[in-house]
Every structure is written in structure tokens, then in C-alpha cells.
Amino acid sequence: YQHKLKLALIGQSIFGQEVYNKLRKEGHKVVGVFTVPDKNGQADPLALAAEKDGTPVFKFPRWRAKGKPIQEVIAAYKSVGAELNVLPFCTQFIPMDVIDCPKHGSIIYHPSILPRHRGASAINWTLIQGDKKAGFTIFWADDGLDTGPILLQRECDVGQNDTVDDLYNRFLFPEGIKAMVEAVHLIADGKAPRIPQPKEGATYEGIQKKENAEISWDQPAAALHNWIRGHDKVPGAWATIDGQVVTFYGSSLLDASVPAGQELAIKGASRPGLVTKNGLVVFGNDGKMVLVRNLQFEDGKMIPASKYFSADETTALELTEEEKKMAEDIRAIWKGILSNVAVIEDSTDFFKSGASSMHVVRMLEEIKQKYSGLQLQNEDVYMATKFADFIQMAVRKFRGEDKEEELVVDYVSKNMNNMTVNMPYQCFINGQFVNADDGKTYDTINPADGSIIASVSSASLADVDKAVAAAKEAFESGEWGRMNAGRLMYRLADLMEEHQEELATIESIDSGAVYTLALKTHVGMSVQTFRYFAGWCDKIQASEYGATIPINQARPNHNLTFTKKEPIGVCAIVIPWNYPLMMLAWKSAACLAAGNTLVLKPAQVTPLTSLKFAELSAKAGFPKGVINILPGSGGLVGQHLSEHPDVRKVGFTGSTPTGKQIMKSAATNLKKVSLELGGKSPLIIFSDCELDRAVKMAMGAVYFNKGENCIAAGRLFVEESIHDEFVRKVVEEIKKMKIGDPLDRSTDHGPQNHKAHLEKLLQYCETGVKEGATLVYGGRQVRRPGFFMEPTVFTDVEDHMYIAQEESFGPVMVISKFKNGDVDGVLRRANATEYGLASGVFTKDISKALYISEKLEAGTVFINTYNKTDVAAPFGGFKQSGFGKDLGEEALHEYLRTKAITVEY
């Protein structure tokens, strides 16, 4: 953009202030600001910014009198010599004498996709009418009401539970500011279009006021929800309860069975509402439900709807001397904001005295500066608008008396495996289990029989934003950074151990893992991992983690340089479906030990142990926002996490193609990335091995966890002289394996994780046969309900074949011969892959074994064993198997950054 303009800004509010600041920063000259008069002795934010810069400011109460322009006002406007009028947010009626005066005319911001929702309550009507899209228009002003030609438009999706504030803060405010600046640039360069508004689809709705915001109950739940959220926070949808007007805030659709609660009669409603532990449940004429979180009475007092029948039970606190001082400090902060009020009395109402939502933020930030341990939220001010009530609330929080009630968890409960298994199924965001923002769910399936276990919340983009914001707040402002993380992690490990049978049962029915394996490995190693990293929490600044470094001195000065390790911030962790809980533990434990906060996305098909883990983390005492769990689509949730500007690190385990996509997405803000990706791990078996042991270990290397194992031996190289005997022994052992119910303690081999994966494996085997490999055993689906596959053996596999090059990730043993004594030849074949996760060798010749271990291009080499991982040993791959390490001391480096500090003395 080459050209700059002289601008007149006509309007008000923080939005107007931000547009003003951005335009000046871009080099345009604001020759005059025309805004509203001071209210209660306080100037509008736009006026404050302009006055600070020395820009001429005019505060006209009106531009017209008796339908005609006021000539003194018009003359004052014309005196600034503007080339373009910019109206970012304006509540006054501006005469056409002013609109048409500048060389380039006037542009206006309107918060709807014109021609829909013309009028002053456009955002409200977008929600009231249940629009799927919201947005804004910047148009050329004419003599009609929001009818001028369109310059540009932007749109966004509307979430199922979005409020006016949500849309404004997430999109209309930040993107609207950018678009206003872009529009001015386009005009300056002569590139701005003038697109006539279409007549089709045009609507006009009047201003929504309190008197016409009463709830009409004879309509479906979705319409009730839209009406309530469309009026939240202003003017507020209301109903009559117990003879008084009660305003409803914070609604969401409730897709569940009718909860237990105390009935509450509501005037006009055919069915009483229910006051439940989560809020007030009301019913539409279709029988569906809406959950309302907060209620406000006629005197301005707001309460959680769940407290309706106990709202007046709280007794006043006696304040200590320290608390009295805090109360006076807060009184002074109120006085600084409410400068028009002579004395802040106990009965002073923050909002009735002239404060706005902008002042809420200012007040809380000033309190935070004085009392960093007092964590207040915007909602707290709306709940306690009078000074005395606010102080009582603040003191309770200061004392810790406001501690959250016992975690509210809705379970899917099943009686199985000789126990009752309780499974959370909602997103876990900021310490609470909540439905997905848009209400969407999906079914998670038991692979043993294909039955539905539970309908699980499917997180939306809005949920990702909420979870990241909660993690960011917990990292930057919460108590997490001051806590003993090790103590919490030990407590969490203890809780996991207490619930190990339940966790193993959930893992078994959700992933198909054999219960005994789930108990020992999936859960057992997860507990060990948290205990291991808990021990690191107080040692990260020791030894090489924080060092003093000799440096060259610039005489006569003396300098000291030292380093310290710091947590990175918000980390996104995306895990696979083969070891749902263990993969969570491998990454999360190191992440938390380093002091970070996290948002974790479990695999879509195996979310249940992650959600149970979330429940246990809350019971262990982890603060809100430190751990967030979002079940749902990888393409939606995982992608948004990897792109999110507030996420500073991504840890991913999964396929190589997805890992490459994550790297591209993470480049948006140059996130730190660690990847544990695909593998085609070679296992070399020499004739001088202990053959029976090699057979047993090779069976485990391939069939452990049904072959759904990232380090599974994807290709076996067997020395020619023992090849046939090795194959014979393998087939004999396979025939002894029991395939069946994973909860049966005698089962050796359970179902594949999900149907699509089973179908992929069957296709894999068909490809092997077509290419000429010999199918010695298996290769078929087992004839029983569920997703079971026979353990499979291929021989005569040549290097060019698909099954020799690509990972099956299933129970498929791929065997190739190598010539007797050809060590270097088999090494070349073993390394002829783009993967390098793991490898193994069986031989009694330790010199040969060590030589091969040096030459194998893999992150892990097993000698005369396999699958032997330990929490203290680093784990990760080479080449296209990824980079970065899980487990061991090295894993901490993935979640820390190094800062060098130099002091002159």
C-alpha cells in the first residue's frame, strides 16, 4: 500500500480506539476524532487515545437538531479537512452533509454479513435466528440504513454455544480492526470496490431492548437457547420466577438424560425447570433441554443457577487486619475507576455507577498487580456488583474458601470384568468436563464385538481455542509455576495405581489390548513414567541443566555467565491409538515435570483412558488449565493445535505423513516439534543364536499388542541355514496362541484396534500374495464378531516387495533369508529403508552383535532381546521415523528452553 490519507474518525469504544491506533501506525494522518461526550466524568476510549496523541477531539452530543444538521457542528467537522470518514463504531446519526463531504466519502463497519441483519442489534439477531455463519461488512455509507455498496466482507462459523461476546472477541473485534485498516489502504490506492448490496436475503431487525427480551417458552430447545445466547450479556433474556424478573446467562444445549434436580416453576413454561448441580435445566416444547449457568435478579445480583435455592445462605465474613487493608486497596482501585462517585460505599454498584466491561478488565488487572495470589475472573465482577459483596467474594477467594466443589463428572458406567467401570465422555477443559462447544459427539467402538461403548464429545475449533487459552492462563498467571509439581505427579501416579484395574479394563475394551498386557504394560509403565519424571522436578536446574560458564573478560570489567532451563509454555500433545494411556504418559509426564501446561488430543478411536486420566489429574490437585484433554478429529483438533499461535511445542506420535503435515503447520510460529513416527524395524537372526529364545523373542517382536506396536519387527532377516527350522517353530507357536475376548485372562491375541485398520491389514496381506511372497500362515479375518485377525507369516519376501518396504502395524511376520555369513550384505538390506525407529539382532557372538549395533541406522538396537523399553532409557527414531526423544533424561530437553544470562560486576 503506497498512499496515505487524511482521516476523520467518527465513533467510539475500544474498537474505535484500536482502529485509530492501527491507522496511525500505518502512516495515515487522523486529522480529527469525533466522538461522544464524557459519561460520568469519564472520556470514551477513542477520545482518550486521541487526546494523548494531540489529535483534535470533538465531543458532540448530537449532529442534528429537529431533523436538521447543526451548522456549528458541521463547520467544526469541515475545518479538519478530512479526505475520508472512517466510522468503526458509531451510535450517533451522522448527517449526509458530513457523510458525502470528503473526497472519498465515508466507510462504516457493520457486524453482519449484509444485506442480512441490517440494524443496530445485528450480532444479537445472528444468534437469535440460529445463523450458521456470522461476520461483518465494511460498506460505503449512503442515505439508507446499512444499504450502501459493499467494500469488503469477512465471515466465520458460529459455534453451537457461542454468545455475542464469543463472536465479538474471537472474530468480529480482532478481524474487524484488521479489515478497517485494509479498507482504508484499498481506498488510498484506488483499489476499493463498490459492490451493490443484493436485494435477495435482506433483513432488518430493530434494537433489542429489555422489555422485548422476555423468553417465549412454546418453542424448541434450540430456539430457546438461541434466544438466551442472542441476548447475553445485553440486554439479557428474562423470565418471571417467584414474581420477579430473572435474567438468564450462559446457556448451552444439553444432550443427555434428564439430570436429577429440584423443580423450579417458571411463568409461561409448560414444564418446570430443574435446578441441578450444573445449573438450571429448562425444556423446549420438543422435550429437549437447555442448561443455563447463571441467573441475575432485579437488584443486579448474579448467582450460579445451581445455587438458586441456597443463594442467601452465605453469612458475612469477619475480616482480619490484612484483609481489611486489602479491602481498602480495592476500594481505592474502584475510586480510581469510578471517578464520578464521591465516596465508594458498601452499597456502591460497579456498573450502576458508570463502569463498563472495559473497566472490569482494568479493575481485575490492578488488583492482580497488588495481590498476585488473588485470582479473579470477569464473571466474578458480574456475580458481585456491589462493593461489599465484591469484597466478601474476594476475601473468600483469598482465603481459599472458594475452592471448587468436588469435580462434576458425568459417566458412562458399565458392569464388566467383575467391576463397575466409570468412564467420562466429555471434553476436559480448564478443570471441568464439558460438552463440545457445538454439541457434536461420536461413538467409540469396542473392537472385540463392534458394539458402542459410549458417545464421546467431539471437540470443535472453539474448544481448542478455549483449552489453549486455559493452558496459557495457567502457565502465565496461575499457581502452577509456584507449586511442587513433583508432589502432584507422585499423587497422580498413586491414583493411577489405585485405579489400575479400571484403567486396564477401559484400555482393553477401547483399544482391544489383552487385559493382562494392559494391566502390566499400558497402565503399569504409565505409572512408572509419572513416578520417574516426578523425581526430576526438583533437579532440572542442577548439573548440566543450569551451568556457570567461563567467558572472555573485557578488562577491566568482570563478567559472570550462567544458564538456566525454563519451561516452554503451552504444549500440544497428539497421541496414537495403539497404547492410548502409555503414550499419554510418555509425553505428558516429561512435559509437566519441565513446568509446562498441555492440551492433549487422544486418538479419535481411543479417547476413554485419556479422559479417565483427566479425572484422576483433577483429583490429584492439578490446577485448572494445566491439563486439558480434547477428544475428536485429528484433521480438525490436531491441525488447529499444530497451527495455534499460543502453542509453543508440539509432541506427536503417529504416522510419518501426518508428522510431515504437523511440521508444516508448526512453522506458522516456529513451534518446537518432536516426532515419533512410523517404522519398519529390522530384526536379524544369525544361525549362532539360541534358536528357541530367538523364536520366542521374534514372536513378541511381531505379535506383541496384536502387532500394533511402533517398534514391532517389521521385517525379519533369518540366516539361510536355520531359516526353515525357524519358520516351522514360529508356526508351531502361533497354533498354540489363543485368540479371543481380551478380558479373558487366558487370551493371547485380541482384536485389531478398529475396523478400518483390520481392512487395511487384510489388503496388506493380499498385496503380499499378489507380489509373490509365500503366505505360510494366517492372512485372514477370524470368523467371530469383532475385528480379529489371524497372526500371519510370510516367507520368500524379496527386497522390492511392498510388504518388505512398508509397515503393516499389525500381526504380520515378514521373513527374508540372507546368505550364511553375509554380515555386511544383511546390514545393507536392513538399512535400505527410510525408517529408523528400532532394530534387533540375535547372535552369541558379542563382537558381531556390537559391530551390527554400530552399523544399524535406528534409534534403538536390541541385542538378544526385544521390546525391552524402560522409563529411564531414551526412546526415539532416526530418518523418517522422526526426531526427539521420549523417556529418560533426554525427554526433558524436548520440553525446556535454555536461557543464557550475563552479569557484569
Side-chain angles (χ1 to χ4, degrees), residues 652 654-661 677-679 835 880-882:
F652 172 75
S655 72
T656 297
T658 303
K660 291 178 180 179
Q661 180 59 45
L677 307 177
Y835 300 110
Q880 291 198 44
S881 288

Side-chain angles (χ1 to χ4, degrees), residues 807-869:
E807 180 180 30
S808 71
F809 212 66
V812 182
M813 184 176 286
V814 177
I815 304 175
S816 299
K817 293 179 186 178
F818 69 94
K819 292 180 179 180
N820 294 333
D822 188 9
V823 174
D824 290 327
V826 75
L827 271 171
R828 282 193 299 273
R829 295 173 71 190
N831 285 329
T833 172
E834 274 300 300
Y835 300 110
L837 189 57
S839 59
V841 57
F842 280 83
T843 175
K844 294 177 183 176
D845 185 340
I846 191 63
S847 296
K848 180 164 59 177
L850 292 175
Y851 172 76
I852 288 172
S853 71
E854 290 180 5
K855 297 297 182 181
L856 282 170
E857 297 171 0
T860 298
V861 181
F862 299 107
I863 298 176
N864 295 328
T865 187
Y866 209 88
N867 284 329
K868 180 57 180 173
T869 55

Side-chain angles (χ1 to χ4, degrees), residues 780-808:
R780 296 168 300 185
Q781 182 174 357
V782 178
R783 293 179 176 274
R784 59 171 294 155
F787 312 137
F788 292 84
M789 181 177 177
E790 295 175 337
T792 299
V793 179
F794 277 101
T795 61
D796 302 318
V797 178
E798 298 179 15
D799 295 351
H800 69 274
M801 292 180 178
Y802 178 83
I803 63 173
Q805 298 175 1
E806 296 299 326
E807 180 180 30
S808 71

Side-chain angles (χ1 to χ4, degrees), residues 336-384:
I337 295 171
L338 305 175
S339 55
N340 56 303
V341 178
V343 179
I344 304 297
E345 306 282 358
D346 285 354
S347 59
T348 299
D349 188 288
F350 191 67
F351 295 107
K352 291 181 179 178
S353 299
S356 66
S357 58
M358 171 189 69
H359 298 113
V360 171
V361 176
R362 174 184 163 185
M363 185 245 286
L364 296 184
E365 288 300 316
E366 289 190 32
I367 292 174
K368 189 186 296 183
Q369 285 181 342
K370 280 186 171 291
Y371 296 94
S372 60
L374 179 56
Q375 298 296 316
L376 300 175
Q377 308 297 324
N378 291 9
E379 204 70 24
D380 295 326
V381 186
Y382 293 104
M383 293 285 192

